[in-house]
Amino acid sequence: MLTDGTYRLGPSTARLLIKTGRAGLGRRAGHDLTIEATRWSGEAVVVVGDPDRSSVSATVEAGSLEGGEGTGRLKALTDADRAEIKRTLGDKALLHTAEHPTITFRSTRVTGTPQSFEITGDLTIKGRTHPATVHGKGNGDGLLRGWATVTQSTWGIKPYTAFLGALRLADEVQMEFEVARLEPADAPP
């Protein structure tokens, strides 16, 4: 059950995923990818009776994004595929992690209940900040899930293309989180 408090977030208590889709004439040749952030941290301040006093922040190491799963093709992702995805996400084309090592989210407003909530905030990717809205649900046992749809080009990210543009990732990606348990911020790590 979600109670008032300040909670620490990170890979030990939650998963942070990005899910891509395919577009273009060659979309059957590629994979829909699930990419996971492996190094990130955050904090949630929860005031159940007054959600407007609640807040959420998170910082993701952009270089920690790794392609874990690929669906939509008969052939599974290989280790070489995963290594290429990591290279592509980093400096080669998309996130330019050397210049922009972190992705951040800072809430500006929280509304709803622990069972159904919305978090509006500022998402910064590649040094560009734009508003983003996260939709979430809680199950009463402390499990929280949420999602936001992000249009890559808004943040200056050119969706990945191959085969002269016949295969490309869709501009919209789904960012998802799943919090398995909340850890009080004052508890030892």
Side-chain angles (χ1 to χ4, degrees), residues 138-161:
N139 71 355
D141 291 333
L143 179 67
L144 301 169
R145 290 187 173 150
W147 64 94
T149 301
V150 174
T151 303
Q152 297 178 79
S153 58
T154 300
W155 280 268
I157 300 168
K158 182 180 176 193
Y160 176 78
T161 62

Side-chain angles (χ1 to χ4, degrees), residues 58 66 95-96 102 104 116 142-143 159 173 186:
E66 297 186 6
L95 295 176
H96 303 106
T102 60
T104 61
S116 180
L143 179 67
V173 297
D186 58 0

Side-chain angles (χ1 to χ4, degrees), residues 28-90:
R28 292 182 188 195
H31 289 94
D32 291 328
L33 299 175
T34 298
I35 298 163
E36 184 163 6
T38 59
R39 292 185 311 275
W40 63 280
S41 63
E43 181 179 271
V45 175
V46 177
V47 183
V48 175
D50 188 0
D52 202 38
R53 291 181 40 218
S54 298
S55 64
V56 177
S57 63
T59 300
V60 176
E61 290 183 35
S64 79
L65 299 177
E66 297 186 6
E69 301 172 27
T71 60
R73 284 190 64 193
L74 295 176
K75 184 178 144 198
L77 285 177
T78 65
D79 289 341
D81 292 332
R82 286 184 187 88
E84 179 60 23
I85 291 165
K86 186 168 180 65
R87 272 193 302 281
T88 300
L89 284 169

